[in-house]
């Protein structure tokens, strides 16, 4: 009987799809990250076998001498946990805790060609942005990312549009490995997004999406005053001039934010006012800032609470590292065998 259950459990485990995604430890989580990425991670951890990690090695490619690497890593970890990543459901770990990844990276580097690496858009961007530091880590960024993914034989990689070329490289390296060593060991990983269901969260500067570097974001750790200040400063116009006109982008953006944090009746109320040309943007912003604060407050409290709990964090990181290494070392020992390493 016991054997039957074990067998059954094993099967259901194996039917789950393997998901990997990496998070760069830069800056604080904002509402755009929350609705764009974190919410999906939280959904995926329910039904798939998920590995989520903090890509601290990758951060060195642009910031080789960080002021507070550990602090940055801790902050992202804390914020993702507060937002709902669950270490009992997903494997949550720090990239540099899993040395098997660097071994696979080294091996994959032997089959990655300078030409193809130099041609990637993100590398060319970085060459333009940091001409004083075009290091080999930057060039081989996609190789390390491929190692991150295929070390767990993942097939689903939830990432944004900007990562699609890196995913294409990961597929290329996986396929090339299979071809060169005449195996079908590595599955091909694909970017995964949630299609139209994803709400793109706009920034407060009138156009485009919310982003860290755009300076238009509301962070999950922002306090009430900061939120209020940011929203009151958001770009608007001089108001609607015709009944039922379509709002221009900056105004639509405020409505979109309201759509995710406020009650439907609140949104309807202000949209109606806009349509009737008697909206006061000051009132709209005041309401929006109140509702954003109401949404953010519990997350903010949770972040502050978890941040103090070093004991808990230590446990999370250790458990994550153990689980990730278990999966990674299985892959690495197979890879070594496939290439031809043998112990004496
Ligand atoms: N390059 C990704 C980013 O900039 C981070 C990342 C590193 C990643 N390794 C990964 C994402 C593996 C998905 C899978 O956001």
């Amino acid at each position: 009987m016991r054997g039957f259950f074990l067998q059954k459990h094993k099967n259901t485990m194996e039917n789950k799809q393997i998901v990997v995604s990496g998070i760069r430890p830069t800056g604080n989580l904002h509402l755009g990250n929350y609705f764009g990425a974190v919410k999906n991670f939280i959904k995926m951890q329910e039904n798939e076998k998920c590995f989520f990690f903090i890509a601290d090695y990758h951060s060195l490619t642009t910031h080789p001498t960080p002021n507070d690497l550990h602090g940055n890593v801790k902050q992202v970890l804390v914020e993702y946990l507060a937002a709902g990543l669950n270490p009992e459901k997903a494997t949550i770990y720090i990239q540099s805790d899993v040395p098997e990844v660097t071994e696979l990276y080294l091996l994959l580097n032997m089959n990655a060609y300078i030409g193809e690496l130099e041609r990637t858009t993100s590398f060319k961007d970085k060459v333009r942005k940091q001409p004083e530091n075009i290091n080999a880590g930057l060039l081989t960024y996609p190789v390390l990312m491929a190692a991150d993914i295929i070390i767990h034989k993942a097939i689903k990689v939830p990432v944004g549009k900007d990562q699609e070329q890196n995913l294409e490289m990961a597929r290329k390296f996986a396929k090339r490995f299979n071809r060169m060593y005449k195996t079908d060991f590595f599955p091909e990983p694909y970017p995964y997004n949630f299609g139209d269901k994803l709400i793109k969260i706009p920034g407060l500067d009138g156009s485009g999406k919310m982003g860290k570097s755009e300076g238009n974001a509301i962070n999950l750790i922002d306090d009430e005053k900061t939120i209020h200040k940011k929203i009151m400063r958001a770009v608007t116009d001089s108001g609607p001039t015709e009944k039922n006109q379509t709002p221009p982008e900056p105004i639509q953006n405020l409505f979109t934010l309201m759509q995710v944090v406020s009650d439907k009746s609140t949104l309807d109320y202000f949209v109606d006012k806009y349509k009737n040309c008697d909206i006061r943007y000051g009132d709209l912003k005041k309401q929006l800032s109140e509702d954003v604060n109401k949404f953010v407050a519990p997350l903010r409290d949770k972040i502050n609470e978890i941040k103090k709990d070093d004991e808990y964090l230590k446990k999370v990181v250790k458990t994550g590292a153990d689980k990730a290494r278990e999966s990674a070392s299985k892959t690495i020992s197979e890879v070594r065998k496939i290439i031809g390493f043998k112990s004496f």
Side-chain angles (χ1 to χ4, degrees), residues 165-190:
Q165 193 177 32
N166 282 336
L167 254 289
E168 200 183 308
M169 305 282 283
R171 277 196 300 285
K172 199 189 261 186
F173 298 139
K175 278 193 286 193
R176 188 177 293 157
F177 181 95
N178 289 348
R179 198 171 56 242
M180 291 178 71
Y181 301 106
K182 298 187 176 52
T183 166
D184 56 2
F185 185 66
F186 285 120
E188 290 177 39
Y190 281 90

Side-chain angles (χ1 to χ4, degrees), residues 314-334:
K314 210 169 159 173
K315 211 172 88 193
V316 168
V317 168
K318 168 85 168 67
T319 312
D322 288 348
K323 283 201 281 180
R325 289 197 70 180
E326 191 188 327
S327 156
S329 58
K330 241 189 244 160
T331 303
I332 273 297
S333 79
E334 284 298 317

Side-chain angles (χ1 to χ4, degrees), residues 20-24 53 55 58 95 141 144-146 148-149 157-160 162-163 166-167:
V20 167
S21 198
I23 302 149
R24 263 177 311 164
F53 69 95
H58 273 117
Q95 187 184 33
Y141 187 112
L144 180 55
M145 182 159 159
D148 289 329
I149 297 167
V157 186
V159 283
D162 63 323
Q163 296 298 311
N166 282 336
L167 254 289

